[in-house]
Each structure stands twice: as C-alpha cells, then as structure tokens.
C-alpha cells in the first residue's frame, strides 16, 4: 500500500468514526441518556485514526526513529494514564462524579487511546 493510500484510508476511517461518534452522542443526548460510555470510545477511535493518518509515513518504515517514538510515547502515556487514575480516584471517593463500571472503563480506554496516539504525534515532531 502506498503512503498516500494508507494515509487516506486512516483519514477516511477517522472521519467515519467521528461521524458515528457525533451521531451516537446526539442520539444519547436526545434520549436523555448521555454518557453511556461507548460514544467516547468512538471519539477516541476517531482521534486514533487521525493520528495514524499523520504518522503512517513515519511508522511505515520500521526504523530506529519510529521505534524510539513508540517507546517514548508509551512511556509518557503510561505516566499520564496513572495521573488520570490518581485524579479520578478522589473524584469517585468524594462522590463528585458518579459513573458505573462500564462508563469508567470506557472513559479510561478513551483517555488511553487519545493519550497514546497524541503523544506519538507530539514525539514525532520532536524526534
């Protein structure tokens, strides 16, 4: 697959996921059941697809630079995800936010997806 075809495929899938997430968010707001959980996962998948669209030419070549970006990105993302959990724990304990298990896992999965792939983008500009 050529570089332009791969980028185009990720961009189109990101756009489709974005439309799906907006549709699901609108339908859950209109029914009065906003934040079921899966609407944020679609949004995170859209962000992931857009980031992969940007990163495709760099990650296509499995060289030292792309490996370094992946290693550093996962390391920084791990620290951010720990930070998310440290922030969420007192919010749950003090009953500031009230989410069920599915919503909590969906929120953490979305934050993890967005953090990992956006850190790849930021690090690709740095390295």
């Amino acid at each position: 697959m050529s570089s332009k075809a791969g980028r185009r495929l990720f961009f189109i899938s990101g756009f489709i996921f974005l439309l799906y997430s907006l549709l699901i968010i609108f339908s859950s707001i209109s029914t009065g059941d906003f934040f079921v959980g899966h609407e944020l996962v679609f949004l995170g998948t859209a962000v992931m697809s857009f980031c992969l669209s940007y990163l495709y030419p760099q990650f296509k070549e499995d060289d030292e630079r792309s490996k370094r970006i992946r290693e550093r990105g996962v390391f920084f993302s791990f620290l951010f995800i720990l930070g998310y959990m440290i922030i969420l724990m007192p919010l749950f304990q003090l009953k500031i936010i009230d989410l069920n298990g599915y919503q909590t896992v969906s929120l953490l999965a979305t934050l993890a997806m967005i953090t990992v792939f956006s850190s790849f983008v930021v690090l690709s500009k740095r390295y």
Side-chain angles (χ1 to χ4, degrees):
M1 184 180 319
S2 71
S3 178
K4 287 191 182 245
R7 289 183 88 167
R8 200 172 300 133
L9 177 69
F10 281 121
F11 185 79
I12 291 170
S13 62
F15 188 72
I16 290 170
F17 279 122
L18 182 63
L19 289 177
Y20 281 158
S21 66
L22 292 175
L23 178 68
I24 292 172
I25 288 170
F26 177 73
S27 65
S28 64
I29 287 173
S30 65
T31 59
D33 272 343
F34 181 64
F35 191 53
V36 176
H38 51 270
E39 60 267 79
L40 286 185
V41 175
F42 273 107
L43 191 63
T45 308
V47 171
M48 178 185 72
S49 295
F50 287 130
C51 289
L52 285 173
S53 170
Y54 176 79
L55 293 167
Y56 183 79
Q58 299 163 21
F59 281 2
K60 186 175 94 172
E61 301 167 11
D62 197 23
D63 58 352
E64 189 64 35
R65 179 177 175 265
S66 65
K67 288 179 185 177
R68 185 168 175 89
I69 291 170
R70 287 186 191 120
E71 288 172 3
R72 292 283 174 123
V74 170
F75 175 72
F76 289 132
S77 298
F78 174 73
L79 295 177
F80 273 99
I81 292 167
L82 280 177
Y84 299 149
M85 291 182 194
I86 290 170
I87 291 170
L88 284 174
M89 280 190 274
L91 294 176
F92 283 129
Q93 189 68 32
L94 298 172
K95 307 261 190 260
I96 294 173
I97 58 174
D98 184 34
L99 302 175
N100 63 28
Y102 182 73
Q103 291 170 329
T104 305
V105 171
S106 296
L107 178 66
L108 286 173
T110 302
L111 288 172
M113 281 191 289
I114 290 173
T115 303
V116 167
F117 289 97
S118 61
S119 70
F120 287 168
V121 170
V122 169
L123 290 171
S124 73
K125 293 182 183 213
R126 184 173 179 202
Y127 293 113

